[in-house]
Amino acid sequence: MPLLKRLLAWFQPDTTRPLTQAWLAALWMGLLANWPLWKQLQTLPGINLGFTLAFAGMVIAATGAVLSLLAWPRLIKGVIVLLLLAAGALAYFIGAYGIVFDPTMVVNMIQTDVRETRDLLSWRLGVSLLLLGALPAWWLLRRPAAPAQSLPRRLGGNLVSFTLGIVAMVVLALSVFATLSSTMRNHKTIRYMVTPLNAVYSVSAVGVRSLSGPKGPPVVIGADAQLLPRAEGAKPPLLLLVVGETARSMNFSLNGYARPTNPELAKLPATSLFSLRDVTSCGTATAASLPCMFAPQGREAFDADKPQENLLDVLQRAGLAVLWLDNQSGCKGLCDRVPNSFTAKLPEGATPLPAGLCDGEECFDEALLHELDKRIAALDPARLQRGLVLVMHQMGSHGPAYFKRSPPDLKHFQPECRSNELQKCPREQVVNGYDNTIATTDRLLARSVQWLQTQQARFDTGMLYVSDHGESLGENGLYLHGMPYAIAPREQTHVPMILWVPEGGALAASLKPGCLQGLINQPASHDNLFHTVMGWVGARADVYQPARDLLAACRR
């Protein structure tokens, strides 16, 4: 009978004990919340049931080991509840969109606004949170408090549990080492799919970086910035820099895409419009790309953990007027020290936005053009006499609710996916909705050119458009963006860049005939943006690198 009682006790563990709760949570999350991981493993070559079981045991052992260190009566329940809810959410997003959860994704989450969050909500997310997170959390919170135990005994038990978990993980890893090393080397996304350890690691990494990073104002760059002298009677430059959102180069008909996604831009003279077809982004998400593309160092040398001034600061220090207009979630700190505004915040005395341009929650990108003259008139007149760099930050093709990003008269490609759960729509409908957003950007750029043409009596005008990153539309089961750069597919890093340099302008006259046409198929990247803009408007500083200025080789 005593032996029977012991066996029954083994199968009916004391759920009041913190260590028992830790290992039950590890078992639940390791097996159930990782269903996207187990599904992904089965699609990989050379993976059998034995490896999958061993890998599952490794995940459970590692999770249990981590939780063992936190298995204290007043701590463990709160930690597990948070991890359960996080695991429920991550299981949905990883399974639905094929995303991975790394430190960059944590930064994206921190900087996401209410509109972007709302687009990601669905009833399936609610079901995942309920079944994988809320219900086990409710069960856990109903467990009575653990009996009192001395500190040394509690600490010793936790350390023994941690050690056993690590030993079990190592033994299982060694049992399938050949397959494990090959899988981790050839399929790096797997390591970012292990829930909730991916969340623990990524949140911790971002926290450590924020605490250990330099404090105080951003480092000054381009302290010697100045403008090159202009010829007598020459007009000051006006460069419109349009920062696109989630646009991928391969869906622009200007770049060879079969569908007519750029009908308006295609009407402009080929001698003034140049679409570069081989441009690479700094990152795969806005939070990573924006600061990098406005920095002089380039992607390889840029360090996001060392705050510094950016292109806008240098242009303003050189004496130019700078204005940032935003139709998205903000400028990620880039515009903090220059005049800036949102589309919905109209200048004093401006006429209301036309009906249909905004729905009370967000505006179509064409709102960026509304009352531009009044916005510019509010800038420093002395600076305007030297020139103006106007930045427009689009909502663009931000997903997953692509259908919200195009007005009714630009929904040329039908039927389009009308859901934010892209995986539930036929891929053709997802692409239709996305292509409609590219056509919407096309009209914005064409009308921007029309506005610039109205300014030519006063300024030497030009436009540069470039997207911050691309987008996956179901290729290899991936949706949206934000993959770690080293393993990101080309769909997320191959972005459009378009230059409009009007014939008869001072810039066009300063360039070798036909030279810009030669740039179309040449490799370029976000690394070129800082230096090309400085060269375009005639600004110089010690951080300016002519080798990265796309126009430098074309100057007479």
Side-chain angles (χ1 to χ4, degrees):
M1 290 298 292
L3 178 60
L4 180 59
K5 287 183 178 180
R6 289 182 181 180
L7 289 174
L8 290 174
W10 175 261
F11 290 104
Q12 294 178 335
D14 183 0
T15 56
T16 66
R17 297 178 58 199
L19 278 175
T20 301
Q21 295 169 358
W23 282 99
L24 287 176
L27 185 66
W28 178 273
M29 292 185 287
L31 290 179
L32 299 182
N34 278 290
W35 69 262
L37 173 59
W38 313 137
K39 181 180 177 181
Q40 178 68 16
L41 280 180
Q42 297 313 304
T43 67
L44 303 181
I47 301 299
N48 55 30
L49 179 60
F51 175 81
T52 302
L53 291 175
F55 197 82
M58 290 169 56
V59 171
I60 295 168
T63 306
V66 172
L67 290 177
S68 294
L69 297 178
L70 303 172
W72 299 90
R74 296 184 179 181
L75 178 63
I76 190 63
K77 284 187 178 181
V79 170
I80 292 177
V81 167
L82 287 176
L83 290 179
L84 284 170
L85 294 175
L90 287 174
Y92 168 76
F93 287 115
I94 295 174
Y97 299 112
I99 65 170
V100 297
F101 197 80
D102 66 338
T104 300
M105 191 62 70
V106 174
V107 176
N108 292 338
M109 289 174 54
I110 294 172
Q111 298 185 359
T112 296
D113 66 5
V114 175
R115 293 180 301 176
E116 295 171 346
T117 301
R118 186 176 58 248
D119 286 347
L120 293 169
L121 301 180
S122 70
W123 68 267
R124 287 184 175 85
L125 170 59
V127 170
S128 183
L129 281 170
L130 176 64
L131 296 181
L132 295 178
L135 287 180
W138 174 78
W139 176 87
L140 175 66
L141 292 174
R142 289 173 57 86
R143 299 304 94 195
Q149 197 173 26
S150 67
L151 177 62
R153 187 173 181 181
R154 180 81 65 186
L155 178 60
N158 290 358
L159 291 177
V160 169
S161 179
F162 170 78
T163 303
L164 290 176
I166 295 299
V167 169
M169 182 185 69
V170 172
V171 170
L172 288 168
L174 291 175
S175 70
V176 291
F177 183 75
T179 305
L180 178 66
S181 60
S182 173
T183 302
M184 292 296 102
R185 183 174 60 252
N186 298 324
H187 306 283
K188 296 179 180 178
T189 56
I190 295 298
R191 67 189 67 178
Y192 297 108
M193 296 177 68
V194 179
T195 302
L197 295 180
N198 52 3
V200 173
Y201 163 74
S202 299
V203 172
S204 300
V206 172
V208 169
R209 273 193 337 218
S210 63
L211 292 175
S212 61
K215 303 297 186 292
V219 174
V220 174
I221 63 171
D224 61 336
Q226 58 183 329
L227 297 176
L228 296 176
R230 289 201 312 269
E232 186 177 350
K235 301 172 187 175
L238 191 172
L239 173 60
L240 174 58
L241 175 57
V242 182
V243 179
E245 169 65 40
T246 320
R248 60 189 214 174
S249 179
M250 58 194 68
N251 286 61
F252 275 58
S253 56
L254 289 176
N255 296 335
Y257 188 50
R259 284 178 154 184
T261 52
N262 302 127
E264 298 300 320
L265 290 176
K267 298 175 184 177
L268 297 175
T271 52
S272 63
L273 189 79
F274 308 93
S275 182
L276 280 56
R277 300 185 174 191
D278 189 11
V279 181
T280 306
S281 67
C282 264
T284 61
T286 305
S289 273
L290 268 189
C292 176
M293 62 198 287
F294 278 75
Q297 294 95 333
R299 188 181 70 83
E300 294 293 338
F302 179 70
D303 187 349
D305 296 328
K306 296 180 179 178
Q308 64 174 19
E309 292 182 344
N310 61 81
L311 173 63
L312 305 184
D313 297 294
V314 177
L315 296 175
Q316 185 167 256
R317 183 171 293 117
L320 294 169
V322 179
L323 175 61
W324 178 288
L325 293 180
D326 209 291
N327 192 41
Q328 212 203 111
S329 58
C331 64
K332 314 304 179 188
L334 293 176
C335 64
D336 288 352
R337 295 168 296 278
V338 303
N340 62 84
S341 184
F342 284 85
T343 49
K345 185 181 179 182
L346 296 174
E348 186 177 349
T351 58
L353 287 161
L357 207 53
C358 301
D359 62 4
E361 296 181 346
E362 69 176 74
C363 299
F364 293 119
D365 284 327
E366 203 168 324
L368 289 163
L369 295 170
H370 185 66
E371 298 286 26
L372 263 187
D373 292 343
K374 289 185 178 179
R375 293 185 187 274
I376 292 172
L379 300 176
D380 184 346
R383 289 184 175 275
L384 285 174
Q385 290 180 359
R386 303 184 195 107
L388 167 64
V389 175
L390 172 62
V391 186
M392 292 182 176
H393 187 202
Q394 286 185 266
M395 177 59 80
S397 304
H398 200 290
Y402 304 126
F403 66 95
K404 292 183 178 180
R405 311 281 115 86
S406 58
D409 62 322
L410 285 179
K411 295 186 179 298
H412 304 313
F413 307 106
Q414 292 292 338
E416 68 174 358
C417 179
R418 302 286 300 178
S419 170
N420 59 356
E421 297 183 83
L422 301 179
Q423 74 281 6
K424 300 303 179 184
C425 291
R427 185 171 180 273
E428 295 77 12
Q429 294 184 16
V430 175
V431 174
N432 285 345
Y434 183 83
D435 284 348
N436 288 334
T437 69
I438 301 299
T440 303
T441 290
D442 173 74
R443 184 160 77 179
L444 169 72
L445 297 179
R447 293 189 175 180
S448 296
V449 168
Q450 294 173 5
W451 174 80
L452 286 169
Q453 289 171 334
T454 68
Q455 306 297 309
Q456 288 178 329
R458 183 183 177 189
F459 295 102
D460 180 42
T461 61
M463 182 183 73
L464 195 162
Y465 162 81
V466 62
S467 182
D468 58 352
H469 55 78
E471 185 87 327
S472 288
L473 298 176
E475 296 89 357
N476 300 313
L478 293 180
Y479 292 91
L480 305 181
H481 52 268
M483 291 288 287
Y485 197 90
I487 57 176
R490 186 163 171 76
E491 289 84 4
Q492 296 188 24
T493 60
H494 187 204
V495 296
M497 179 183 284
I498 299 173
L499 286 68
W500 179 70
V501 182
E503 295 180 278
L507 178 60
S510 70
L511 303 178
K512 301 172 186 176
C515 186
L516 290 180
Q517 192 68 30
L519 296 176
I520 287 178
N521 293 309
Q522 295 298 313
S525 72
H526 280 167
D527 294 0
N528 299 112
L529 181 67
F530 183 101
H531 310 281
T532 300
V533 170
M534 286 196 67
W536 192 315
V537 298
R540 294 294 184 270
D542 57 352
V543 290
Y544 169 71
Q545 300 176 35
R548 287 183 169 176
D549 180 353
L550 292 173
L551 304 179
C554 287
R555 293 193 181 91
R556 295 179 187 274

